[in-house]
Amino acid sequence: MAPYVWQGPLKKTGVIDVFKQKLVTPSIGSDFSDLDLAEALNSPNADALFHDLAVTISERGVAVFRNQHLDNETHKQVVNRIAIASGRPAENDIMTNALYPLYGDDPKVITLIPERVAERYGYQSEPKKRQTCSHEWHSDMSFEENPSDYSSLRLGLVPETGGDTLYASAYDIYDRMSEPFQKFFENLEVQWGDPHYTEACGTEGTYKGPRGSPANVDFGFDAVHPAVRTNPVTGWNAIFAGGMHCRGFKGVTDEESNRLMTMIEEMITQNHDIQARIRWESPGDIAIWDNRAVKHIPTRDVVGKGKRKGYRVLSAGEKPFLAPSGTGRQVWRDGQKDGGLAGRYERAQTLETDAGTSSLEGLTVTNGNADGITAH
């Protein structure tokens, strides 16, 4: 694989400013009511438009686009254009769903039917006496060597009420930690995995090829990534730990790991101002989010309120890394006000992700972590 070269954060051109964008909350989320994604694919300024979409989604965490008219093919094209515009590694593509042969689905479009998901993974599809579901907060495919950079969900069937999707800002989780805690997490790595998914993919008839990246070929699904990662689109650091697919922190005791997991979970659940709740209003609504910058969770409350059916498309991004020049979003904003971060990202930084070791601003990066910043 060719080296992945990070040129520093991207800036918007401004072409997206003509569209109506409502901020879901001050921290996270944008809602577009008049941007037609299918038309954007064939627009004369499509390159600039998808560039701005990539930056907007990465800065805001998630964006929802109302009343779209996408089919599976145009859905894949939209996500692919956004990922390419963001600087995704050239060899990567839309992820292939290893389970698609079992259901006859499009290989690169995951059909999400609540009953199917509940049966496959053992979830409780009806509320009944369920008292917590906070453990279901997650980042998509975080157990892959190259997890998803941009994830998306398009609704085909929308219930009368319920079935909302919630998002939480991983930028804010990092920002709200004290500086000593930020440094502590920067020196940690996380073990990822999903036993249910691993077991499902091991059954006869599942797809056994690469999943959107030449790096995503192992079927153990037990990747190790830094607990803090730098978003290559924004240059902002985000917590990349905790949630459903997180098996624990490396190099600490099980008790310590569990406490750290609980800390992150509580930062999400006890700070509703870092969350955005996306209500699905009509078939065709689509949410696209930066999987590096948010965690999300479905709401399993549609029993007796109609059917919910969705289509998920994921792009395979870069191997997670922590850059020495990465910073918290709030620190960046403060620096912008003071003019203190000018020229911070002038020099290109190279990450040779195929070898697993990289040169980053003169430092060595192993498994996504930089000498002098994080532990190997």
Side-chain angles (χ1 to χ4, degrees):
M1 292 182 288
Y4 167 57
V5 179
W6 182 42
Q7 299 289 349
L10 305 179
K11 295 182 178 180
K12 286 183 284 191
T13 67
V15 299
I16 201 173
D17 294 342
V18 300
F19 299 100
K20 295 178 182 178
Q21 177 185 177
K22 178 181 178 181
L23 302 186
V24 180
T25 74
S27 172
I28 179 175
S30 290
D31 194 317
F32 288 91
S33 59
D34 65 345
L35 199 166
D36 189 312
L37 293 172
E39 287 186 2
L41 289 169
N42 299 307
S43 171
N45 63 346
D47 287 344
L49 186 53
F50 280 97
H51 171 96
D52 277 17
L53 281 172
V55 178
T56 298
I57 293 167
S58 293
E59 288 182 347
R60 296 296 303 160
V62 57
V64 60
F65 304 87
R66 303 295 182 181
N67 302 307
Q68 300 298 305
H69 303 282
L70 301 175
D71 57 18
N72 284 352
E73 290 305 314
T74 49
H75 184 169
K76 289 183 287 187
Q77 290 173 33
V78 164
V79 176
N80 204 41
R81 288 292 295 271
I82 290 171
I84 291 172
S86 76
R88 184 187 67 191
E91 66 271 19
N92 288 6
D93 200 348
I94 298 299
M95 283 184 160
T96 300
N97 175 21
L99 302 181
Y100 84 86
L102 302 181
Y103 304 112
D105 289 345
D106 183 308
K108 297 180 182 294
V109 180
I110 302 171
T111 302
L112 292 178
I113 302 171
E115 295 79 9
R116 178 195 292 184
V117 175
E119 180 182 0
R120 172 61 69 179
Y121 297 109
Y123 296 146
Q124 188 175 331
S125 59
E126 298 186 17
K128 293 184 179 178
K129 293 187 181 295
R130 184 182 63 221
Q131 297 177 355
T132 181
C133 58
S134 59
H135 64 283
E136 291 186 33
W137 284 96
H138 66 283
S139 303
D140 285 331
M141 311 307 285
S142 45
F143 43 78
E144 292 278 22
E145 288 297 322
N146 285 187
S148 172
D149 46 13
Y150 293 97
S151 298
S152 65
L153 179 62
R154 168 174 54 96
L155 265 287
L157 295 177
V158 177
E160 173 188 344
T161 185
D164 300 349
T165 303
L166 279 72
Y167 299 85
S169 171
Y171 295 139
D172 273 306
I173 299 173
Y174 175 83
D175 277 350
R176 296 195 179 192
M177 292 179 178
S178 63
E179 186 173 346
F181 260 85
Q182 289 176 342
K183 296 301 181 185
F184 173 66
F185 275 91
E186 287 172 6
N187 279 279
L188 293 175
E189 291 182 323
V190 175
Q191 180 74 59
W192 297 92
D194 187 332
H196 291 292
Y197 190 73
T198 301
E199 181 181 0
C201 290
T203 59
E204 184 178 353
T206 54
Y207 170 76
K208 303 300 183 185
R211 302 173 296 278
S213 167
N216 294 343
V217 293
D218 178 65
F219 279 82
F221 299 108
D222 57 355
V224 175
H225 299 308
V228 178
R229 67 183 299 182
T230 304
N231 190 306
V233 179
T234 62
W236 301 337
N237 290 342
I239 286 292
F240 195 64
M244 187 167 61
H245 303 314
C246 186
R247 313 301 348 138
F249 289 83
K250 302 274 288 183
V252 300
T253 67
D254 289 345
E255 183 177 356
E256 291 168 338
S257 179
N258 291 337
R259 289 184 178 183
L260 294 174
M261 297 268 283
T262 299
M263 175 184 173
I264 293 174
E265 182 177 302
E266 289 180 346
M267 290 189 75
I268 295 173
T269 59
Q270 295 179 8
N271 291 278
H272 63 278
D273 57 326
I274 70 171
Q275 299 178 14
R277 187 181 189 107
I278 301 299
R279 181 175 183 183
W280 304 100
E281 296 178 353
S282 60
D285 286 357
I286 180 173
I288 305 175
W289 60 94
D290 190 319
N291 193 55
R292 302 162 292 201
V294 302
K295 289 189 178 297
H296 66 283
I297 188 171
T299 308
R300 307 185 190 282
D301 61 350
V302 298
V303 178
K305 302 298 181 182
K307 293 292 185 180
R308 184 185 191 271
K309 183 177 183 181
Y311 304 94
R312 189 175 69 173
V313 173
L314 312 171
S315 164
E318 75 287 343
K319 182 174 178 60
F321 66 93
L322 175 62
S325 58
T327 184
R329 179 174 61 176
Q330 189 58 54
V331 170
W332 180 87
R333 286 173 173 169
D334 293 343
Q336 287 292 97
K337 294 175 185 176
D338 301 336
L341 296 182
R344 179 167 190 154
Y345 301 103
E346 288 182 356
R347 188 148 51 98
Q349 301 153 68
T350 302
L351 295 174
E352 297 183 3
T353 55
D354 55 332
T357 60
S358 317
S359 173
L360 179 60
E361 291 189 330
L363 301 177
T364 299
V365 175
T366 304
N367 293 326
N369 293 331
D371 285 339
I373 298 293
T374 54
H376 297 313

